[in-house]
C-alpha cells in the first residue's frame, strides 16, 4: 500500500506558482510539473501536461505495457503544443514533467523530461532516479567544468528538453524496486536546486510524518531565500 502527500508553494520571490502536481495513492499515479513561459503560460503548461498524462494513464491502464508511460508523455507534449498553437499568448510555453507510477510487485516506474527530479530514500540512503536534461548536466559537465563553476554558470538554468518545446521528446524511463519503509520523492528545482542531498536524506529518514516532512522541506527552501516555486510529492511504501 502506498501513502503520499504533496505540497506546493510559490516561494519567497515569485508571486505566481507555475508548479503543479497530482498525487493519487489509490491509482498509484504521482506527477509533478514545473512550467515556463510568459504571462500565465507556465501555469497552463504544467497543469495541462500533468492532467493530460494523468487521464491517459488512468484510461489506458488495461493496455499497460513497458511503453505506456512514454506514450503518456507524447500525449502531454501534443496537448501543450496544440494549446500553444491555438493561443498566441501561450506561444513558447513548456514544462518539466516527472511521473512515478505503481506497476505492481513493489516496483515503481519513473519517467521524466526536464530537470524536476525523483529520488529514492531506502534505509537512509538517498539515490537520484532521474537525470537532469539541462545544459549543465549534458554539456557543462562533459566540458570538465567544476561543480563550483557550474553552480554559477549563466547557462545553469537552461533546459535541453521540455514538454511542449519540441515535437520529438527524449523521455527517460526506469523501474525501481521499493521496499516497505522506502520513500520516493518528486520535487521541482525550487527544492533540489537549493537544498543539499544530505539535508534531503536526513529529512526523509527522520521520524516526521509525511506531511511534516513535506512542510519541513518547503520551509527549508524558503529559509534559503525561496527564489523559485517549491513543490514536493512524497510517497511511502507501507
Amino acid at each position: 500500500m502506498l501513502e503520499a502527500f504533496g505540497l506546493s508553494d510559490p516561494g519567497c520571490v515569485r508571486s505566481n506558482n507555475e508548479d503543479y502536481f497530482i498525487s493519487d495513492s489509490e491509482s498509484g499515479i504521482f506527477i509533478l510539473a514545473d512550467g515556463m513561459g510568459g504571462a500565465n503560460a507556465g501555469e497552463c503548461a504544467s497543469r495541462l501536461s500533468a492532467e493530460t498524462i494523468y487521464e491517459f494513464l488512468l484510461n489506458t491502464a488495461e493496455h499497460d505495457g513497458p511503453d505506456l508511460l512514454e506514450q503518456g508523455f507524447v500525449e502531454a507534449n501534443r496537448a501543450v503544443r496544440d494549446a500553444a498553437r491555438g493561443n498566441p499568448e501561450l506561444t513558447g510555453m513548456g514544462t518539466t514533467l516527472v511521473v512515478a507510477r505503481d506497476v505492481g510487485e513493489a516496483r515503481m516506474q519513473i519517467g521524466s523530461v526536464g530537470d524536476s527530479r525523483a529520488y529514492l530514500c531506502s534505509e537512509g540512503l538517498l539515490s537520484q532516479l532521474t537525470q537532469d536534461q539541462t545544459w549543465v548536466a549534458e554539456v557543462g559537465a562533459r566540458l570538465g567544468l567544476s561543480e563550483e563553476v557550474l553552480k554559477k554558470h549563466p547557462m545553469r538554468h537552461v533546459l535541453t528538453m521540455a514538454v511542449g518545446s519540441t515535437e520529438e521528446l527524449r523521455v527517460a524511463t526506469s523501474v525501481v524496486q521499493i521496499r516497505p519503509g522506502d520513500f520516493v520523492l518528486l520535487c521541482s528545482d525550487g527544492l533540489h536546486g537549493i537544498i543539499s542531498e544530505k539535508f534531503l536524506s536526513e529529512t526523509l529518514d527522520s521520524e516526521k510524518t509525511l506531511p511534516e516532512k513535506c512542510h519541513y522541506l518547503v520551509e527549508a527552501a524558503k529559509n534559503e531565500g525561496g527564489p523559485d516555486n517549491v513543490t514536493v510529492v512524497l510517497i511511502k511504501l507501507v
Side-chain angles (χ1 to χ4, degrees):
M1 185 175 73
L2 297 173
E3 291 181 353
F5 187 83
L7 182 65
S8 188
D9 191 284
C12 302
V13 175
R14 300 188 178 185
S15 58
N16 62 325
N17 192 345
E18 295 182 327
D19 289 0
Y20 188 78
F21 75 90
I22 295 172
S23 177
D24 184 349
S25 298
E26 186 174 344
S27 67
I29 300 173
F30 309 92
I31 303 166
L32 188 151
D34 177 356
M36 64 208 76
N40 296 320
E43 295 172 44
C44 177
S46 59
R47 177 186 290 267
L48 180 58
S49 67
E51 292 183 346
T52 298
I53 196 168
Y54 176 66
E55 293 296 330
F56 176 84
L57 293 174
L58 276 182
N59 295 329
T60 57
E62 67 275 15
H63 306 300
D64 202 354
D67 299 329
L68 186 70
L69 184 55
E70 189 168 347
Q71 293 170 16
F73 273 83
V74 171
E75 292 299 320
N77 191 55
R78 182 181 295 120
V80 172
R81 290 177 64 78
D82 285 350
R85 277 193 290 265
N87 186 342
E89 294 184 0
L90 302 179
T91 299
M93 71 176 177
T95 183
T96 71
L97 188 62
V98 59
V99 180
R101 70 182 188 112
D102 182 10
V103 290
E105 299 178 350
R107 296 174 304 147
M108 296 203 78
Q109 185 181 27
I110 309 294
S112 68
V113 167
D115 68 347
S116 291
R117 291 182 181 175
Y119 290 94
L120 172 67
C121 186
S122 181
E123 297 182 343
L125 298 176
L126 188 74
S127 55
Q128 187 177 327
L129 301 176
T130 54
Q131 295 297 318
D132 295 347
Q133 292 175 322
T134 62
W135 184 91
V136 163
E138 297 187 349
V139 180
R142 294 176 185 173
L143 294 176
L145 301 178
S146 70
E147 188 172 338
E148 287 305 311
V149 169
L150 291 175
K151 282 182 178 179
K152 299 176 182 179
H153 199 282
M155 297 280 283
R156 66 188 180 278
H157 297 304
V158 175
L159 296 176
T160 55
M161 185 61 58
V163 172
S165 67
T166 181
E167 193 162 338
E168 295 294 328
L169 282 184
R170 288 185 289 116
V171 184
T173 63
S174 62
V175 175
V176 60
Q177 194 78 35
I178 54 176
R179 297 177 292 185
D182 285 357
F183 296 93
V184 173
L185 171 69
L186 308 183
C187 63
S188 62
D189 66 342
L191 183 76
H192 71 72
I194 304 298
I195 299 302
S196 71
E197 291 193 351
K198 182 176 184 292
F199 187 91
L200 288 179
S201 177
E202 291 173 349
T203 302
L204 298 184
D205 196 40
S206 70
E207 295 300 317
K208 295 178 175 65
T209 65
L210 288 185
E212 287 171 344
K213 290 177 181 181
C214 289
H215 281 281
Y216 191 72
L217 290 173
V218 169
E219 288 306 311
K222 292 172 68 177
N223 288 339
E224 293 296 325
D228 201 352
N229 306 147
V230 191
T231 303
V232 296
V233 176
L234 186 56
I235 309 148
K236 181 180 181 181
L237 179 64
V238 295

